[in-house]
Amino acid sequence: MKVKATDIGQMASASEVIFEALREAITQGEVKEGEALRQDRIARMFNVSRIPVREALTRLEEQGLVSTQRYRGAVVSSLSIAEIEEVFEFRALIEPEVLRLAIPRMSEAALARAGDFAASFASEPDSARWGELNRRFHYALYEDSARPYYLSTINAALDRVDRYSRAQLVLTDGMARAQREHEQILAAVVARDADQAAALTREHILAAGRSLVDFLSRSRAGEKAVLAG
Amino acid sequence: MKVKATDIGQMASASEVIFEALREAITQGEVKEGEALRQDRIARMFNVSRIPVREALTRLEEQGLVSTQRYRGAVVSSLSIAEIEEVFEFRALIEPEVLRLAIPRMSEAALARAGDFAASFASEPDSARWGELNRRFHYALYEDSARPYYLSTINAALDRVDRYSRAQLVLTDGMARAQREHEQILAAVVARDADQAAALTREHILAAGRSLVDFLSRSRAGEKAVLAG
DNA sequence: ATATTGCAAATTGGATCCAAAAAATAGATG
DNA sequence: CATCTATTTTTTGGATCCAATTTGCAATAT
């Protein structure tokens, strides 16, 4: 995991830096699910004591990204397929509504930014950055909704499932399909057709969820077969 | 605030006990918004050092119940009227959907429990317990939805706004109206009419939100007048 | 009287240390 | 050789201590 304090803010406390680094590492899939996060090891990584590490782990646990058992330490939480499905179902309920609320008040600047992010997918070879680009594209469309609470719940939901999407996007045609759907959503937003944009967003999220669940079902079944055989 | 470790669980760590006690105290309105939560004072209350207190405050900050500035300590976050409106709007989007999902699979036991909670409002003189009864009533209706993530977001939303509702329920007829609406929702659920139950739940939440926002607008305007005059 | 500067008290973030619990390892026993 | 038990090692939750920062107050200047 990368340690870059400057990216986070000039006067960020150690625990904030560690929290952001760990959150990034988990959502990016750099630390695998079930992997133990030892306080002492992380503390040495950052040249600090275990105190700020514990604060970071507490935050991560509150966000549901790690789970902790008394005296047994923190492990990256692994979501069942049902739990992943639920997060996509949740997003499919929330995000179309936020987009609907944003459209009447959307600035040209935000719309242009969304267009730039949508276009940048095509020229981005690093699959590790697709998740971030996707998030920024949708965020640009949502931000003028003036609904900070909704946006925070969307971000929390994305943090939970992002790490599962990466492999699927690389190994299937998921990325190409997502790009096409982004263009369709964008066209509906440009036309200020809130109903259409919301419906397309809902389908976009549900389709992504179905693809991911399908992909994970296959790969997890494969893992079990390997382990058994 | 009450310190009752036994209520929370046999082997709960100190920080968990403190977290629950502070969360309860904040959501119940026992500590006022803007009030500073001094680590040392809380530590002495519970006869522990500041370390577990800091962990509890970290959790509360992650949940949005307190906000912290470096070296300036934690204060109970105060929500603007717009933010309170947003939470009710969010609940009005989520909760009807959860109820809709729960109805086809709802057990008789859960339905009976919801009925008991609905009835218990009438005989509960302590207004401090109304919020909890309300939460349990709705939770009984939602729990068979098998959507733990939705339920956790609903609980987080309720934690944010519960403390604002108490005074309003006592000083207006909000409680009586809520009771009537609960009975109507219950009837729709008994009839397994998911559309009707969802619509009633949405209206129930939106009406509660409107009442609360109206009440707070008046009382905050009054406060300003007092401060100015 | 009011604004300003300097110092002391209060408060927090973090380091170091300690005790309790769990995991790992070695030894005894069938 | 496998299994159970005792002991050592790891690891965590919490206590105590320290340094950095803010806040409150008093003395001073205007």
Side-chain angles (χ1 to χ4, degrees), chain A residues 13-15 48-49 51-52 71-72:
Chain A
S13 65
S15 64
V48 294
S49 79
I51 296 285
Y71 285 100
R72 286 189 202 176

Side-chain angles (χ1 to χ4, degrees), chain A residues 21-228:
Chain A
L22 289 176
R23 196 184 61 76
E24 189 79 1
I26 293 171
T27 59
Q28 295 285 333
E30 293 167 32
V31 285
K32 303 300 175 194
E33 61 179 37
E35 187 173 334
L37 298 170
R38 297 293 165 203
Q39 296 178 5
D40 193 55
R41 200 173 78 83
I42 298 165
R44 271 199 292 270
M45 266 185 189
F46 289 86
N47 284 311
V48 294
S49 79
R50 282 166 41 226
I51 296 285
V53 175
R54 280 170 59 178
E55 186 172 329
L57 290 175
T58 298
R59 293 194 125 87
L60 291 170
E61 192 185 359
E62 202 59 35
Q63 294 238 334
L65 294 182
V66 311
S67 55
T68 303
Q69 270 197 319
R70 188 182 171 80
Y71 285 100
R72 286 189 202 176
V75 296
V76 177
S77 20
S78 59
L79 271 59
S80 67
I81 298 232
E83 288 169 323
I84 294 168
E85 275 188 294
E86 190 187 353
V87 171
F88 277 88
E89 188 187 28
F90 177 85
R91 291 183 51 204
L93 180 61
I94 301 289
E95 297 191 32
E97 187 60 24
V98 173
L99 181 55
R100 191 190 298 278
L101 291 163
I103 285 177
R105 52 177 73 187
M106 195 179 297
S107 68
E108 290 303 320
L111 194 47
R113 200 137 18 88
D116 289 346
F117 286 126
S120 65
F121 278 101
S123 56
E124 178 58 64
D126 183 4
S127 68
R129 285 184 44 78
W130 290 352
E132 189 196 340
L133 282 177
N134 181 63
R135 206 181 276 222
R136 291 195 183 195
F137 166 72
H138 286 288
Y139 188 83
L141 291 179
Y142 301 158
E143 62 185 337
D144 286 332
S145 65
R147 295 294 190 285
Y149 187 64
Y150 282 79
L151 293 181
S152 72
T153 65
I154 292 169
N155 262 319
L158 285 169
D159 275 351
R160 295 200 161 217
V161 295
D162 256 11
R163 65 199 143 106
Y164 296 104
S165 304
R166 202 161 311 277
Q168 184 247 324
L169 290 178
V170 174
L171 296 173
T172 73
D173 67 341
M175 195 59 224
R177 202 204 48 216
Q179 273 184 254
R180 287 197 303 275
E181 291 170 358
H182 285 174
E183 295 296 341
Q184 291 170 6
I185 291 169
L186 209 46
V189 174
V190 168
R192 305 281 164 174
D193 185 343
D195 286 345
Q196 173 77 347
L200 287 171
T201 297
R202 179 173 173 81
E203 269 315 306
H204 172 59
I205 293 167
L206 290 176
R210 280 193 301 267
S211 297
L212 179 55
V213 164
D214 184 58
F215 177 82
L216 289 175
S217 299
R218 289 174 199 277
S219 63
R220 290 190 181 182
E223 281 167 24
K224 277 183 194 162
V226 169
L227 290 172

Side-chain angles (χ1 to χ4, degrees), chain B residues 27 40 52 77 92 106 135 172 208-209 222:
Chain B
T27 58
D40 194 53
S77 20
M106 195 179 297
R135 205 181 276 222
T172 72

